[in-house]
Amino acid sequence: MGTARTGVTRRSTLLSLCALVLGPLLLITGCGFLALTACAPGDRDDPRPRATVPAEVLRALRTASTATRQAGSARVTAVMTMGDRVSTRTTGTLGWRDGLNGALTIRYTGGTLVGTLRGLDIGTTEARFVDGVYYARMSDAFAAGSGGRHWVRHPHDSSANFAPNQSVELLLAAPDTRRTGRETVRGVPATRYTGTLRPADLPTRGPAADESAELRAQLSAAGVTEERIDVWIDRAGRLVKRAERSETASGTLHSTAYYRHFGVRVAPVTAPPPADTVDYTALLPSQATQ
């Protein structure tokens, strides 16, 4: 029993570290709290009334989603805070034409857990996105508890859904989405749109209904109550800034990302060696007793 309990504790610790590392990766790619499980953009066949959202706003956001998706790639800078626990700064280049591809560098810049992370030599993390699958580079201290493996592979190989235009898609599911004015984002004129999305706003009918029902249950279990989404769209209809604030049982999570140099060449990256990689699912508590 003691050995089994120790194994559960070790896996729980590794899982917590993975959550801190993978969280910024999921948030930067534009799905906010929904990215913690799956992206479920608004189902346009859902019969619920949408009269509160002006038609011109819906048209502008649909155009922006298409333009951002077609841009194919961009340089990204983002910051994130998880309450007072941790804050990060992320930079890199992403492409999303055929699955998500590219590389990011995440630096842990503050919060009560930064000392713990740096003590485990996780002050900076490399992330790789290869053919829609993403990997996070952990430390030697992590590898000591994971069979000598340094990389974590996230199991959702549908990460093409995490392209930046998904933030725009999420606004299409929010019942109060509105245009809030024009601003300049790092020298670029842009129009700002704002909305608040709650689990109850997800589609109840249509092709996404089953996925949405599962997602609502997961969000309820995580204590997620709502997400405020702001996007800034340039004159070409592309997403140049995204800000999201999620209310969860553990506190408020903030993330802001900037996108520039659309269409930039993305340097090819390769997947880490399988012998140095562990699946995120292998660290889940349910696997610890098997």
Side-chain angles (χ1 to χ4, degrees), residues 218-239:
Q218 293 170 331
L219 294 174
S220 177
V224 173
T225 57
E226 68 177 30
E227 177 165 358
R228 159 75 178 263
I229 306 164
D230 291 85
V231 300
W232 287 257
I233 307 301
D234 70 7
R235 290 172 178 170
R238 301 167 304 193
L239 177 70

Side-chain angles (χ1 to χ4, degrees), residues 39-284:
C39 275
D43 179 1
R44 296 168 192 167
D45 294 327
D46 194 321
R48 292 174 299 169
R50 295 298 306 278
T52 56
V53 180
E56 63 270 20
V57 170
L58 294 177
R59 284 195 298 269
L61 289 175
R62 288 168 182 163
T63 298
S65 178
T66 299
T68 301
R69 184 180 65 252
Q70 291 178 344
S73 64
R75 299 194 191 281
V76 184
T77 302
V79 293
M80 186 198 72
T81 61
M82 292 182 177
D84 64 351
R85 299 176 65 202
V86 69
S87 59
T88 65
R89 177 178 174 81
T90 304
T91 58
T93 303
L94 290 177
W96 51 85
R97 291 191 187 280
D98 299 305
L100 208 59
N101 289 276
L104 299 172
T105 299
I106 303 170
R107 293 179 176 84
Y108 295 84
T109 57
T112 59
L113 296 179
V114 165
T116 300
L117 289 169
R118 289 177 178 167
L120 293 169
D121 197 25
I122 311 181
T124 300
T125 300
E126 176 189 354
R128 296 181 186 177
F129 296 80
V130 184
D131 296 330
V133 181
Y134 48 100
Y135 304 84
R137 177 65 159 82
M138 307 297 279
S139 65
D140 289 343
F142 175 90
S146 62
R149 302 185 180 197
H150 295 83
W151 291 85
V152 177
R153 177 189 187 276
H154 197 278
H156 293 297
D157 60 1
S158 60
S159 61
N161 290 334
F162 298 155
N165 66 291
Q166 286 300 325
S167 288
V168 182
E169 287 287 328
L170 290 176
L171 275 183
L172 289 169
D176 64 345
T177 297
R178 60 201 181 277
R179 184 173 59 193
T180 54
R182 292 183 173 86
E183 301 176 16
T184 299
V185 177
R186 297 187 170 182
V188 177
T191 302
R192 181 177 181 177
Y193 298 88
T194 300
T196 301
L197 184 65
R198 299 173 179 83
D201 298 324
L202 295 171
T204 57
R205 299 184 185 179
D210 291 343
E211 181 181 3
S212 294
E214 180 180 356
L215 181 56
R216 277 193 296 272
Q218 293 170 331
L219 294 174
S220 177
V224 173
T225 57
E226 68 177 30
E227 177 165 358
R228 159 75 178 263
I229 306 164
D230 291 85
V231 300
W232 287 257
I233 307 301
D234 70 7
R235 290 172 178 170
R238 301 167 304 193
L239 177 70
V240 293
K241 179 182 177 183
R242 169 196 56 76
E244 299 184 20
R245 185 189 70 210
S246 303
E247 300 298 335
T248 76
S250 301
T252 303
L253 187 151
H254 296 269
S255 68
T256 303
Y258 297 87
Y259 304 90
R260 60 190 179 91
H261 296 164
F262 288 96
V264 67
R265 178 181 178 274
V266 180
V269 294
T270 58
D276 199 24
T277 303
V278 60
D279 275 4
Y280 184 75
T281 51
L283 305 175
L284 295 175

